[in-house]
Amino acid sequence: MKFNLFGFRLSFQKIKISMRRAALFAITLLFTTHFASACSESTTNYPQTRRVNVVEEHFGQVIADPYRWLENDVRNDKEVAAWVESQNKVTNNYLDKLPGRDIFKDRLKQLYNYEQFSIPVKQGERYFYLYNSGLQNQPVLYVRDSVDGVGRVLIDPNRWAKDGATALAEWSASDDGKRVVYAVQDGGSDWRTNSGTGREHGQGTRR
């Protein structure tokens, strides 16, 4: 199947993507194109971003990094938090006025609303796997005591934050399947917090 969309020639047969992903791609491209076009015509005054005098030399090259301060953790730096809030305010003020948002929202909700299982990992006599019922913000880590056993919730990251943005990152079960170590990712940050669960496989203590 081939078609032209805004000058982009796409062949689903060649790139071997599913029709579901193709539909999602088309919706996203249409939305992004409309957004970019409208932004180019907009007279919105974006908040000013402070520049700092940070210059470093790496391998003989002088590199200026005037926005280094924005790398600070938004959870701990009030200035960064205020910058993010002001930027989001401008962006959401525009996005909230776009026509057809409900159509995109409903269609994407339909596309994502299906059960998702990860490949199970066997450690000792136990089987570990991730499961999402369809519209959960984060997949849940389950464990079974045998291949035919009933899965039970081991770690549910959806309970960690009201906005659902705190995720279970890397995780690994011990060889005997009695312990699990995992990392927590807050709000899409690259930072990780190490955690672990004991023999009873509770929710664990974030450390």
Side-chain angles (χ1 to χ4, degrees):
M1 177 183 291
K2 298 181 180 180
F3 70 92
N4 283 316
L5 182 62
F6 300 110
F8 294 96
R9 291 190 59 84
L10 300 178
S11 172
F12 298 138
Q13 183 176 6
K14 290 183 178 180
I15 59 179
K16 296 181 179 179
I17 61 177
S18 66
M19 291 303 296
R20 176 175 291 171
R21 290 187 178 181
L24 180 59
F25 172 78
I27 292 174
T28 304
L29 184 58
L30 285 169
F31 185 82
T32 304
T33 303
H34 178 80
F35 176 72
S37 175
C39 284
S40 64
E41 300 173 0
S42 176
T43 57
T44 300
N45 293 320
Y46 286 88
Q48 294 294 319
T49 303
R50 181 171 64 88
R51 296 171 63 94
V52 294
N53 185 25
V54 176
V55 179
E56 297 176 340
E57 182 176 338
H58 297 282
F59 305 102
Q61 299 295 322
V62 177
I63 307 297
D65 192 1
Y67 303 113
R68 174 72 62 83
W69 64 278
L70 283 173
E71 295 182 13
N72 294 340
D73 193 331
V74 68
R75 298 165 297 181
N76 302 322
D77 191 308
K78 293 183 178 180
E79 185 179 11
V80 174
W83 182 88
V84 171
E85 182 178 359
S86 63
Q87 293 289 328
N88 286 340
K89 183 177 180 180
V90 171
T91 302
N92 291 329
N93 184 55
Y94 174 80
L95 293 178
D96 290 342
K97 298 176 182 177
L98 287 178
R101 291 195 68 191
D102 291 339
I103 297 175
F104 292 126
K105 180 180 179 180
D106 292 342
R107 182 55 181 150
L108 290 173
K109 187 176 181 179
Q110 292 175 5
L111 293 174
Y112 279 109
N113 192 14
Y114 64 95
E115 287 187 311
Q116 303 160 51
F117 293 85
S118 70
I119 299 174
V121 175
K122 184 177 186 294
Q123 295 292 76
E125 298 300 320
R126 292 190 170 105
Y127 293 82
F128 301 84
Y129 60 95
L130 294 172
Y131 171 74
N132 191 311
S133 61
L135 296 177
Q136 291 177 286
N137 286 309
Q138 306 296 339
V140 179
L141 182 62
Y142 277 74
V143 62
R144 293 186 183 187
D145 291 328
S146 65
V147 67
D148 296 323
V150 177
R152 66 178 185 273
V153 175
L154 178 59
I155 301 175
D156 184 0
N158 295 289
R159 297 165 50 184
W160 292 344
K162 292 181 179 180
D163 62 0
T166 301
L168 171 65
E170 299 81 12
W171 64 272
S172 180
S174 60
D175 291 341
D176 59 9
K178 294 181 179 180
R179 292 179 173 81
V180 173
V181 63
Y182 63 95
V184 177
Q185 181 183 28
D186 287 326
S189 170
D190 292 333
W191 294 98
R192 298 290 195 271
T193 303
N194 294 327
S195 305
T197 65
R199 291 179 178 272
E200 298 302 319
H201 291 292
Q203 278 291 314
T205 303
R206 293 172 56 183
R207 302 170 183 170

